[in-house]
Amino acid sequence: MIHNASFERSVLKKHGIVLDGVFDTLAESRRRSPTAEGGHSLKAVCVRELGLDLDKAEQPSDWARRPLSDAQVRYAALDASVLVRLWERWR
């Protein structure tokens, strides 16, 4: 599961990696609600579908820096867990 798999595909393609067979929550949100109020960002989809307001404060942080901060790890874990919850809701 990925939100906005087309972006991930474009990044990975530059490195010779093909990404197939993933459930794209952005594409599914657009398919289900083409004119959804608030749009189709992961934050907007989580509010609309799960009643969950994601804190996206870590999104623009430096993800190349190692080790990741505790806040970055929590952010990434939450993003991953909501993708599972969205998939379970929509399957």
Side-chain angles (χ1 to χ4, degrees):
M1 291 152 290
I2 297 176
H3 193 78
N4 196 0
S6 62
F7 172 77
E8 300 297 337
R9 282 185 184 100
S10 70
V11 171
L12 293 172
K13 184 178 180 181
K14 294 174 186 175
H15 301 284
I17 300 169
V18 176
L19 180 64
D20 285 325
V22 297
F23 180 81
D24 186 347
T25 54
L26 173 61
E28 184 67 10
S29 177
R30 287 178 174 159
R31 186 185 74 75
R32 289 175 175 269
S33 305
T35 59
E37 187 172 329
H40 299 282
S41 68
L42 184 57
K43 181 176 179 71
V45 173
C46 284
V47 167
R48 188 170 51 252
E49 296 292 332
L50 304 174
L52 178 63
D53 189 14
L54 294 180
D55 177 0
K56 301 300 275 183
E58 288 299 319
Q59 187 174 25
S61 66
D62 182 0
W63 290 88
R65 190 190 80 222
R66 295 294 188 264
L68 296 175
S69 70
D70 290 344
Q72 286 173 308
V73 171
R74 283 190 303 273
Y75 170 87
L78 179 59
D79 264 19
S81 71
V82 298
L83 292 176
V84 172
R85 289 174 61 187
L86 287 169
W87 179 78
E88 288 172 342
R89 178 176 176 84
W90 288 335
R91 65 181 170 147

